Amino acid sequence: MAVVCCVTTAQAGLSDYNSDQLIEILDRTLANSKEYEDHKLTKLRDLKRGLSASDDLEHRFWTARDLYNEYRNFDSDSALYYVEMTYDLASRIGRQRWKDETDIERCYVYTASGLLDRAQAAIDEIEEERLDTTLYLMFKEQELFLYTHRDQYLGLNSLENPYDADTEKMLSNLIQGLSPKNPHYCWFVGWYSLRGNKDARDAIAKILPVIRESDFDSANDAKNAYILSRLYERIGDQENELKYLILSAIADVKIDNKEIASLEKIAMIMYDRHDLRRANEYIRSCLKAADDFKNRVRIVSLSELQNNIITAYQNESEKQSRTLHIYFIILAIIAVLLIGLLLFSISQNRKLRLNKTALIDSKQQLEKHIDSQKVLENQLQEANAA
């Protein structure tokens, strides 16, 4: 718990950093992911004890609902279990609104875990006419979540065509009169504005002030940063696209969100930039998260991406190994040349010493010869004088 609080405090004002600084913060946040998971598990254990200790239906409902919210982005099987429990409790208490809210949340879990047919069936069963404004917006958010996931899996959407005409019409109606203070504001305005560059620029001006005030420590913060990154992607601003993807991923890691789409996109960007070490580490984190969340569909697509990254990583390692081998050969040749020069130098020094010795001997012999000559000259002079 101490680590969680420490990191949260240290990361105030994250939106003021650039992407190079934020990627380092993301690495440190991922390194602390075990601490966040432990914090989550402790909270889950406390809630389960509270649920077991209570016989009051309403208390059990709210506790089961809290358990669902904790499992919502953590473990899809457990989330579905507590969705069914909250629905049963709401039915026994006789609260239709609680049942409707639970039905909407059931749609989310089905979609997030890749069970799109079940999600569509759950959506179709909801009577949206009886929903109040809050539940209606929740319902439409889950519809949007389902449709965009369906099109993504089918390969129908793209940066230029993010959704179909029906979804565009739905979004157009939803954003009418929606206040920036509404928790759905950034998400709906952002998605609607992906349809064109001008719309995207206008939307950035509207939602950026809202997102810059975020602490990036909640699911809503993660979603808002993600849609802002998509808007920057739409207008070709790669720096801010990556920046807000990283902020979204940081928020996901801090809340231990296993449905971590932002980190997957960052891994792909790192792959394109040939930062294969980070790409490999990020995609491994994504695969573990998908496995923990039990999203079978996503595990398959992530495994394919991981295979591409690992292959590129291995190729890069082999390339570096070959380069190092060439450098080693060059160094070996240089070393041989240096040894040859050293031996030649030693040989020349030996010759110089021998020559010097011979020179000294010759000099000494010459001096002896000169002395002998002087003696002979003196003897000759003495003989002549006599």
Side-chain angles (χ1 to χ4, degrees):
M1 180 65 178
V3 174
V4 175
C5 295
C6 178
V7 175
T8 302
T9 303
Q11 292 180 351
L14 281 173
S15 57
D16 293 328
Y17 294 119
N18 61 37
S19 62
D20 290 336
Q21 295 168 315
L22 287 170
I23 204 78
E24 299 290 339
I25 294 174
L26 174 59
D27 290 344
R28 294 197 297 271
T29 307
L30 282 167
N32 287 325
S33 58
K34 182 66 167 59
E35 306 293 337
Y36 298 113
E37 185 170 347
D38 288 345
H39 175 65
K40 168 81 77 174
L41 293 173
T42 299
K43 191 171 184 179
L44 287 168
R45 283 194 295 270
D46 292 342
L47 286 170
K48 287 177 182 178
R49 280 196 292 267
L51 183 65
S52 300
S54 177
D55 294 325
D56 181 77
L57 287 181
E58 286 206 15
H59 183 268
R60 285 179 60 81
F61 170 83
W62 291 113
T63 306
R65 185 173 180 269
D66 288 343
L67 278 162
Y68 162 73
N69 286 330
E70 292 299 324
Y71 275 118
R72 188 176 189 266
N73 298 310
F74 187 69
D75 182 328
S76 62
D77 288 351
S78 296
L80 280 172
Y81 174 80
Y82 286 105
V83 157
E84 298 304 331
M85 182 181 289
T86 53
Y87 187 86
D88 177 66
L89 289 166
S91 299
R92 291 167 64 186
I93 296 168
R95 298 294 293 269
Q96 184 61 49
R97 188 183 188 281
W98 293 358
K99 290 168 62 179
D100 291 338
E101 182 178 356
T102 303
D103 279 335
I104 294 169
E105 291 296 345
R106 186 185 287 111
C107 299
Y108 169 81
V109 180
Y110 282 146
T111 303
S113 54
L115 303 173
L116 303 188
D117 290 341
R118 292 188 184 183
Q120 186 63 63
I123 284 281
D124 293 340
E125 290 178 3
I126 296 173
E127 299 178 26
E128 59 181 278
E129 296 80 8
R130 72 170 176 231
L131 302 178
D132 59 31
T133 301
T134 300
L135 288 185
Y136 179 76
L137 290 174
M138 283 180 59
F139 171 70
K140 288 301 178 183
E141 181 174 337
Q142 298 316 318
E143 264 196 327
L144 176 63
F145 187 62
L146 170 60
Y147 296 160
T148 52
H149 270 61
R150 178 199 61 201
D151 290 350
Q152 178 185 359
Y153 289 147
L154 295 174
L156 299 178
N157 57 8
S158 64
L159 187 61
E160 292 75 21
N161 298 292
Y163 40 69
D164 58 24
D166 290 338
T167 304
E168 181 178 347
K169 183 179 179 181
M170 178 186 77
L171 287 167
S172 177
N173 293 331
L174 286 171
I175 64 174
Q176 299 300 321
L178 198 62
S179 167
K181 294 182 179 180
N182 190 292
H184 302 280
Y185 176 80
C186 294
W187 191 244
F188 287 147
V189 171
W191 270 104
Y192 177 71
S193 303
L194 286 174
R195 59 186 189 153
N197 283 6
K198 183 180 183 305
D199 291 317
R201 292 181 187 280
D202 292 343
I204 290 170
K206 292 176 182 176
I207 70 177
L208 181 58
V210 178
I211 295 173
R212 283 185 62 85
E213 295 180 0
S214 301
D215 292 327
F216 302 101
D217 59 0
S218 71
N220 211 48
D221 291 342
K223 282 167 43 185
N224 290 345
Y226 175 80
I227 195 59
L228 181 57
S229 78
R230 291 291 307 275
L231 291 168
Y232 278 118
E233 181 185 13
R234 188 69 173 87
I235 65 173
D237 187 338
Q238 295 180 354
E239 164 62 21
N240 279 309
E241 175 198 354
L242 179 58
K243 172 179 176 175
Y244 285 97
L245 270 177
I246 297 171
L247 287 170
S248 176
I250 288 172
D252 280 333
V253 176
K254 287 163 68 175
I255 62 172
D256 204 20
N257 181 5
K258 305 298 186 182
E259 240 289 286
I260 190 165
S262 300
L263 190 61
E264 179 183 350
K265 290 199 71 174
I266 297 169
M268 294 170 67
I269 291 173
M270 294 298 106
Y271 174 69
D272 291 337
R273 294 185 176 186
H274 301 288
D275 188 344
L276 299 178
R277 180 189 63 81
R278 277 198 171 101
N280 187 46
E281 288 179 1
Y282 295 165
I283 209 65
R284 284 175 57 194
S285 296
C286 289
L287 262 171
K288 182 183 181 304
D291 186 54
D292 290 344
F293 188 71
K294 301 175 181 65
N295 186 336
R296 289 81 178 174
V297 176
R298 196 162 181 211
I299 288 172
V300 174
S301 62
L302 286 171
S303 297
E304 293 174 356
L305 179 57
Q306 186 188 41
N307 182 59
N308 293 337
I309 291 172
I310 290 175
T311 300
Y313 200 18
Q314 289 174 340
N315 291 339
E316 184 70 18
S317 297
E318 290 173 2
K319 181 181 177 181
Q320 290 177 353
S321 178
R322 288 193 298 270
T323 303
L324 288 172
H325 185 66
I326 292 170
Y327 287 159
F328 177 78
I329 292 173
I330 293 172
L331 288 172
I333 293 171
I334 292 172
V336 169
L337 291 174
L338 288 173
I339 292 171
L341 288 172
L342 179 62
L343 293 174
F344 178 75
S345 176
I346 293 171
S347 174
Q348 293 299 105
N349 284 333
R350 184 179 293 116
K351 288 180 179 179
L352 286 173
R353 285 198 300 273
L354 292 172
N355 290 338
K356 185 177 180 181
T357 301
L359 183 61
I360 292 171
D361 291 342
S362 298
K363 184 179 179 182
Q364 289 174 346
Q365 291 176 1
L366 180 61
E367 287 175 349
K368 288 179 181 179
H369 181 70
I370 292 172
D371 289 341
S372 298
Q373 286 292 106
K374 286 182 178 179
V375 170
L376 289 174
E377 286 177 0
N378 289 334
Q379 289 175 349
L380 181 62
Q381 287 176 1
E382 291 174 357
N384 289 332

